[in-house]
Amino acid sequence: AFQVGNVFYEVLFSGVNLHDPAANFAYFGFAVTTLVLGSIALMISCELFFSIEELSDGLKCVLAERLTIHFRLIRILYVASLISWLCSMFFSSEVKYPELWWASFSWSCYGVVVLAGACVWMRSATGFFSFSEMRSDSSLEDASDDS
């Protein structure tokens, strides 16, 4: 949600660099991409949350099991919006403060490295088990019988 709010503000109130239109296109292009991807992820997650909350406890587990592909989609959209936001920040100082072009570029590079490291670490720590492996088939059948 932070990226969506941040780029909404940036797109509305940011200045442009009259001497470097390529930086403007890159900055605003990645910002709008971030806004779109983040908004889609927020809409899907809110819809799923409200849909799941209306169900009984037994059906919540069954539905959560069957919606893992949607949860993956939300995660992919979120990570894509985060990467797009960092790419937008590569050009932020070039557009707003050309003499300090290196400031946002260097911090964005650092952010990309930290994000990549975190993704690799999380994948190695949790990637060996899927959600369906955490639950037994009998518990799913019991939950669907309760409804």
Side-chain angles (χ1 to χ4, degrees):
F2 170 76
Q3 299 100 272
V4 174
N6 178 266
V7 297
F8 181 75
Y9 174 82
E10 290 291 328
V11 169
L12 284 180
F13 299 112
S14 186
V16 295
N17 183 337
L18 299 176
H19 305 292
D20 193 357
N24 292 326
F25 286 119
Y27 175 63
F28 287 108
F30 283 118
V32 169
T33 301
T34 302
L35 183 64
V36 170
L37 293 173
S39 296
I40 292 170
L42 287 172
M43 288 186 300
I44 292 171
S45 59
C46 286
E47 179 62 30
L48 289 176
F49 173 75
F50 289 121
S51 297
I52 290 173
E53 279 299 309
E54 294 174 357
L55 299 174
S56 66
D57 289 339
L59 288 177
K60 285 180 186 179
C61 294
V62 173
L63 184 62
E65 176 71 24
R66 304 235 167 110
L67 290 176
T68 54
I69 192 166
H70 293 86
F71 297 143
R72 286 188 193 117
L73 175 63
I74 292 168
R75 185 173 51 228
I76 289 168
L77 286 169
Y78 175 73
V79 171
S81 73
L82 183 56
I83 291 169
S84 178
W85 178 68
L86 287 170
C87 289
S88 175
M89 292 299 108
F90 281 140
F91 302 98
S92 176
S93 290
E94 177 66 30
V95 170
K96 299 175 192 174
Y97 315 104
E99 63 279 354
L100 295 174
W101 67 268
W102 52 269
S104 65
F105 182 81
S106 57
W107 279 109
S108 295
C109 286
Y110 176 73
V112 167
V113 169
V114 169
L115 178 64
C119 287
V120 167
W121 179 78
M122 287 188 310
R123 184 73 171 164
S124 67
T126 62
F128 299 112
F129 302 104
S130 67
F131 182 74
S132 61
E133 292 172 350
M134 291 187 233
R135 298 182 50 90
S136 68
D137 290 334
S138 62
S139 63
L140 284 176
E141 291 170 7
D142 293 342
S144 62
D145 289 342
D146 292 341
S147 56

